[in-house]
Amino acid sequence: MPDINEIIAAARPREATVPVCIRGDLAGEVERLELELSRVQEDWEPSSIADEHPGRAIAAQIKALREEMRAAEVPFKLRYIGDEAYSTLVAAHPSTDERELFDAQSFTPALVSACCVEPAMTVDQAKALFEKINQGEIKKLFDAAWDVHNSGDVVPFSLAASALLTALGGEK
């Protein structure tokens, strides 16, 4: 059985990397085009057999915008800050509602900034970022920050690999 000092020496903080799309304007345009495509698919009737479905051009625009969105994703690397620092951070943002562990408004940027190592940021910078990205992207950052501090679940490689192979049409 290993010695506790060996275990401590070998231990590393949990990390997670989450892609955040910083171009919400592109996401809004994709949504607009998807609605337009839906309407065209329902309403379009060709006047001749040579007519090209207008949905084809819209789908090409959507594909191009999705590629732009992927290019506009920035990876944020978050790392566990340690039990004492985490407990102090939670205590520094008490909730006025006894059913809640912390005040979400102040704790969210504090946690994200405390554990985001790439790119490093201050609380004020996290708040400024949160003014530009939408709630979905903020949630992705917070969930990753929360998970590096609270999640004990890790999907075993064999299950993840099996699921990937199945999705790709390979062996189960």
Side-chain angles (χ1 to χ4, degrees), residues 91-121:
H93 301 276
S95 174
T96 55
D97 183 344
E98 64 187 38
R99 297 171 292 177
E100 300 293 330
L101 178 62
F102 50 79
D103 175 60
Q105 190 73 25
S106 65
F107 181 69
T108 299
L111 178 62
V112 169
S113 66
C115 69
C116 193
V117 294
E118 291 176 20
M121 69 179 95

Side-chain angles (χ1 to χ4, degrees), residues 19-119:
V20 174
C21 181
I22 60 170
R23 292 285 312 273
D25 58 327
L26 297 175
E29 184 63 8
V30 167
E31 288 173 358
R32 185 190 69 74
L33 287 170
E34 285 176 342
L35 181 60
E36 185 178 332
L37 179 61
S38 173
R39 288 183 180 143
V40 164
Q41 288 174 332
E42 291 174 6
D43 300 338
W44 185 74
E45 291 188 29
S47 58
S48 82
I49 196 161
D51 288 350
E52 184 174 321
H53 195 290
R56 191 175 283 237
I58 297 169
Q61 288 177 295
I62 292 170
K63 181 180 180 191
L65 284 170
R66 287 189 185 280
E67 289 170 7
E68 279 189 71
M69 286 176 64
R70 277 189 286 284
E73 286 180 342
V74 176
F76 283 75
K77 184 177 182 180
L78 303 118
R79 181 180 299 141
Y80 177 66
I81 61 174
D83 184 57
E84 189 173 334
Y86 180 71
S87 294
T88 300
L89 190 65
V90 171
H93 301 276
S95 174
T96 55
D97 183 344
E98 64 187 38
R99 297 171 292 177
E100 300 293 330
L101 178 62
F102 50 79
D103 175 60
Q105 190 73 25
S106 65
F107 181 69
T108 299
L111 178 62
V112 169
S113 66
C115 69
C116 193
V117 294
E118 291 176 20

Side-chain angles (χ1 to χ4, degrees), residues 160-172:
S162 175
L164 180 60
L165 283 173
T166 300
L168 295 174
E171 295 181 24
K172 292 182 183 178

